[in-house]
Each structure stands twice: as C-alpha cells, then as structure tokens.
Amino acid sequence: MPTDTRATRLAVLISGGGSNLRALLDVIAADAGFGGEVVVVGSDRTDAAGLEHARTAGVATVVEELPRGADAATRAAWEQRLTEGLAAHQPEVVVLAGFMRILSGGFLARWPDRVVNTHPSLLPAFRGAHAVREALAHGVKLTGCTVHLVDEEVDHGPILAQEAVPVLPGDTEVALHERIKAVEHRLLPACVRALCHDHVTVVGRRAEVRLAPDTAEQELHP
Amino acid sequence: MPTDTRATRLAVLISGGGSNLRALLDVIAADAGFGGEVVVVGSDRTDAAGLEHARTAGVATVVEELPRGADAATRAAWEQRLTEGLAAHQPEVVVLAGFMRILSGGFLARWPDRVVNTHPSLLPAFRGAHAVREALAHGVKLTGCTVHLVDEEVDHGPILAQEAVPVLPGDTEVALHERIKAVEHRLLPACVRALCHDHVTVVGRRAEVRLAPDTAEQELHP
C-alpha cells in the first residue's frame, strides 16, 4: 500500500508444482521494499506439490479439492468454500500462479482489478490450457509470457506485462515451457510488486504499470 | 539459388508508399552475396507512391488497378492480368510488401512456398488490415512483425521470422507502426535472402530458416 509501510496481504492459488509461488516467495524474501507478503496459499488439489513451498515458508494453506467433471452446483459450492477460506486471511491481492480453474465473476468482484494471472504465451495468441503446445504446432518463432488482471473471460483481462521468448529449432514443449517459466519467475513478482505499491492504473483494456525503477525497464523490455 | 551464382528473380507487390520495397532494394544493393534481384514491381494502384522507387532503380512495373468493391469475375480477371504481367518477367519469388489485396490459390500455386508477406503483428495475434490499431486497443505490451509464406488464409501461412516491438506508454498507431516498419525493413530482406539461397525448409506449418550467419541470430533474436 502506498500510504503506509504495511505489507499488502497476498493470496496465491496453485494447482501444481508451484514454481511461480516459490519464485514470488524468494523475491519477497530478498527485497525489503517489496511491500507485500504471502498470507495464504490456496489449491484445488490436495496433491499439489507446490503446497510444500507454503509449508516450508510457514504460510497458511487452504485446500479445497474439486473433482474433474463436477456439475455447476458442486463448482459453485467449491468456489464459495475456497473464497471463504481465503477471505479469512484478508488478502488484498490474489495471485493465480499455475492455478488451472476458472473463477466466477462473484470471486473476481470480491477483489476488483486485484486478481492477477500469468499465462505462457503472448496473449491474445494461444489462450487456454495448451498454450505452449499450440504455439509450437503453429510454428511461431516468438512466444513468451503475459501477466494480466483476470476478468470473466479466460486469459483475457487487461495486460500488465509481456516478454517474448524465442522458439528454437528442435524445441520441445517441455524445453520451451521451461524457458517461458524462467521469464515468468521474474515478470510475475515484478507485477505483484507494482500492485502492492498501487502502481497499476487500468483504463478500459489498457493498464499502465509503473515497475520498480531498478528492475523494470531493463527486465520488461530487455 | 544455391547451385549457381545467378541471382534469384524477385517480384515485389505494393499498394502504398513502398518503404519495404525501398529497404529491400537498398539491402540488395549493399550486399554482393544477397543472391537476388528485383526484376519487376507490381501494384494494384496507379497512385502507389512506392512505384517511384522502382522507376528510380530502373525496375519494370506492372500496374493493374482494381476498383474497390469489384465483383468476383472482375477480381478474377484482374488477378489474371496481374499474374501474366508478373510472369512475363519470370520471377521465382514474389514478395508482398504492403500489398493490400488477397491473392487466390491459383496465384499461389504458380509460386508454391515462394510468396512471402510481412505483417505488422506477432501472428497469429491481430490478423487483417488494422493490426497495429487492434494491438493498441487490446492493450498488449508487446507486438511486432511477422514474415511468413502466404497460403490461402489471410495472414496465416508458415512463419519465417518474428521480432517483438514494445508498445510504449502513450503510443499512437502511427508511432508504433513506424517502429514496427523499422524492424520489417531488416527482417523482410533477411527472409527474402534466405529464400534466394534456398535456406528455407517447410514441414507442415513449421518453417526452418537459415539466415545469413553474420546477420541472422543477432538481428532476429536481439
């Protein structure tokens, strides 16, 4: 928050290995001026390996398993439980870090313009769950990652930052995704930091983001 | 062509100012190893300012005006005249350099995998005639340019090269487009050069392009 020295309270949602959570925790630990702290980690999967990062860091976890193919009523009840579990920790910003579920407008309305997601493509190209595979199949020479605010459409909200990653000859989905993740591990924390400092202004689809002067321009436009 | 020292014969099609034609002529003039020469410039507009670049360079021109809103039969006859006008100069590669007409499969079949286009976005994002405006409206932080082989879908064929261009705060369509064009003026000649040397291999949607070793990696992935 800009008006005091209190750290902005962050919730992080994960479904898998949580490497973006790990990166965020590391950046916060190393940057006294970050202005945020992770107060809760949520997951839709009890077996999400990334939960271990939360436990190691002494951060509370909220795990609400949602079976595949759940009907609408089951999903709504699940989201309600997840929301209440997170809300008990009073987060001000919610970071989707490899969270593979779609959240409703009701969830988003609780944290307006303060739910942030990272996606492994240069949006609007290659939305959805198979962005890296589809970029390879399309034969693009550049893909990358996009950090954006979340709205009710999948991989669609106002864009905070993008960085390109070249596709190399003979690339595989795994190798390319690893190089994209390496960029995400810088770009997502930089954007969360900007949100913590209220350095994000959204007008329609266009977001103005003031990044930390020591890292920003150089890292976002290398 | 790789097997002899003869220059590959190039046709360039334009509709407007022809800055990409100008850049291509300049690169060829400065590079004894380019391996190609522009033998004819075609246009769908008698008032295309870029025709002057052809005349200055002593290159033949073929101008076939096509009225807006022409019906299918008129368009087919127009394309036939244009094709024959170009073919009289026996081009081996056809370069679309700001050419604002869609060419049919019949045209493309005459020069298979040897019609190349440049587009001012990172395809598959923002196809069509207003790519720069739409990228700004979408609020992307990165756009760029794509050089690709032409197939029967608009802005769709196998991609030869892409380079990112950052969107700056307060950018206008004109300012952003100018920065994209500056990149195109390097990227399109580099790809045409690769085509002249048969350094392009296409498998499905994926194109492998070997660029000139002195310029390629550095320029394409700065």
Side-chain angles (χ1 to χ4, degrees):
Chain A
M1 310 297 289
T3 53
D4 58 38
T5 56
R6 190 177 58 75
T8 298
R9 299 174 66 81
L10 308 173
V12 181
L13 295 185
I14 64 172
S15 296
S19 70
N20 275 305
L21 166 62
R22 177 74 266 157
L24 181 61
L25 289 168
D26 289 347
V27 169
I28 290 173
D31 179 359
F34 191 93
E37 61 175 331
V38 180
V39 295
V40 61
V41 171
S43 176
D44 61 318
R45 299 185 56 161
T46 52
D47 63 350
L51 289 168
E52 192 56 32
H53 300 314
R55 295 182 189 118
T56 302
V59 173
T61 59
V62 172
V63 181
E64 294 289 346
E65 186 90 22
L66 176 62
R68 283 177 182 273
D71 63 19
T74 304
R75 284 189 60 92
W78 164 82
E79 187 181 280
Q80 187 60 34
R81 291 194 305 277
L82 180 67
T83 304
E84 289 172 6
L86 297 176
H89 296 271
Q90 301 184 287
E92 297 156 288
V93 171
V94 179
V95 181
L96 309 187
F99 185 65
M100 301 302 283
R101 300 293 186 171
I102 295 168
L103 296 164
S104 76
F107 183 97
L108 300 174
R110 193 139 183 173
W111 292 282
D113 278 349
R114 286 299 177 270
V115 180
V116 61
N117 184 43
T118 176
H119 181 78
S121 78
L122 294 174
L123 292 173
F126 309 118
R127 293 182 188 180
H130 306 291
V132 180
R133 188 183 315 167
E134 289 171 9
L136 273 177
H138 197 84
V140 296
K141 301 297 185 185
L142 280 186
T143 183
C145 77
T146 300
V147 180
H148 65 96
L149 298 178
V150 178
D151 65 11
E152 290 190 56
E153 288 186 54
V154 175
D155 301 326
H156 177 268
I159 292 168
L160 301 183
Q162 297 184 295
E163 188 170 318
V165 174
V167 178
L168 303 180
D171 240 340
T172 63
E173 184 181 356
V174 169
L176 178 55
H177 203 164
E178 283 303 314
R179 296 203 310 284
I180 294 172
K181 282 182 186 172
V183 175
E184 283 185 315
H185 294 169
R186 282 191 287 109
L187 208 60
L188 180 62
C191 290
V192 172
R193 191 186 200 282
L195 285 165
C196 289
H197 290 263
D198 268 354
H199 288 175
V200 175
T201 310
V202 179
V203 180
R205 279 204 58 80
R206 297 180 72 165
E208 295 244 337
V209 182
R210 280 187 294 137
L211 292 144
D214 51 334
T215 59
E217 289 308 310
Q218 184 187 340
E219 289 196 348
L220 295 184
H221 304 307
Chain B
M1 310 301 286
T3 53
D4 59 36
T5 56
R6 188 178 58 76
T8 298
R9 300 174 66 81
L10 308 173
V12 181
L13 297 185
I14 64 173
S15 295
S19 70
N20 274 306
L21 166 62
R22 177 75 265 157
L24 180 63
L25 289 166
D26 289 347
V27 169
I28 290 173
D31 178 0
F34 190 92
E37 61 175 331
V38 180
V39 295
V40 61
V41 170
S43 177
D44 61 318
R45 299 184 57 161
T46 52
D47 62 352
L51 289 167
E52 192 57 31
H53 300 312
R55 295 182 189 116
T56 302
V59 174
T61 59
V62 172
V63 182
E64 293 290 347
E65 186 90 22
L66 176 61
R68 283 178 183 271
D71 62 19
T74 304
R75 283 189 60 93
W78 165 81
E79 187 181 280
Q80 187 60 34
R81 291 194 305 278
L82 179 67
T83 304
E84 289 173 6
L86 297 176
H89 297 270
Q90 302 184 286
E92 298 156 288
V93 171
V94 178
V95 182
L96 310 187
F99 186 64
M100 300 303 284
R101 299 294 186 172
I102 294 168
L103 296 164
S104 76
F107 183 97
L108 300 174
R110 191 138 184 174
W111 293 282
D113 279 347
R114 287 298 178 271
V115 180
V116 61
N117 184 42
T118 177
H119 181 79
S121 77
L122 295 175
L123 290 174
F126 309 117
R127 294 183 187 180
H130 305 292
V132 180
R133 188 183 313 167
E134 290 171 8
L136 273 177
H138 197 83
V140 297
K141 300 297 184 185
L142 281 185
T143 183
C145 78
T146 300
V147 180
H148 66 96
L149 299 178
V150 178
D151 66 10
E152 291 191 56
E153 287 185 55
V154 174
D155 301 326
H156 177 267
I159 291 167
L160 302 183
Q162 296 184 294
E163 188 170 318
V165 174
V167 178
L168 303 180
D171 239 340
T172 64
E173 183 180 357
V174 169
L176 177 56
H177 204 165
E178 283 304 312
R179 296 203 310 283
I180 294 172
K181 281 182 186 171
V183 174
E184 283 184 315
H185 295 169
R186 281 192 286 109
L187 209 59
L188 179 62
C191 290
V192 172
R193 190 186 200 282
L195 285 166
C196 288
H197 290 264
D198 268 354
H199 287 174
V200 175
T201 311
V202 179
V203 180
R205 278 205 57 80
R206 296 179 73 165
E208 295 244 337
V209 183
R210 280 187 295 137
L211 293 144
D214 50 335
T215 60
E217 290 307 313
Q218 185 188 340
E219 288 196 348
L220 295 184
H221 306 304

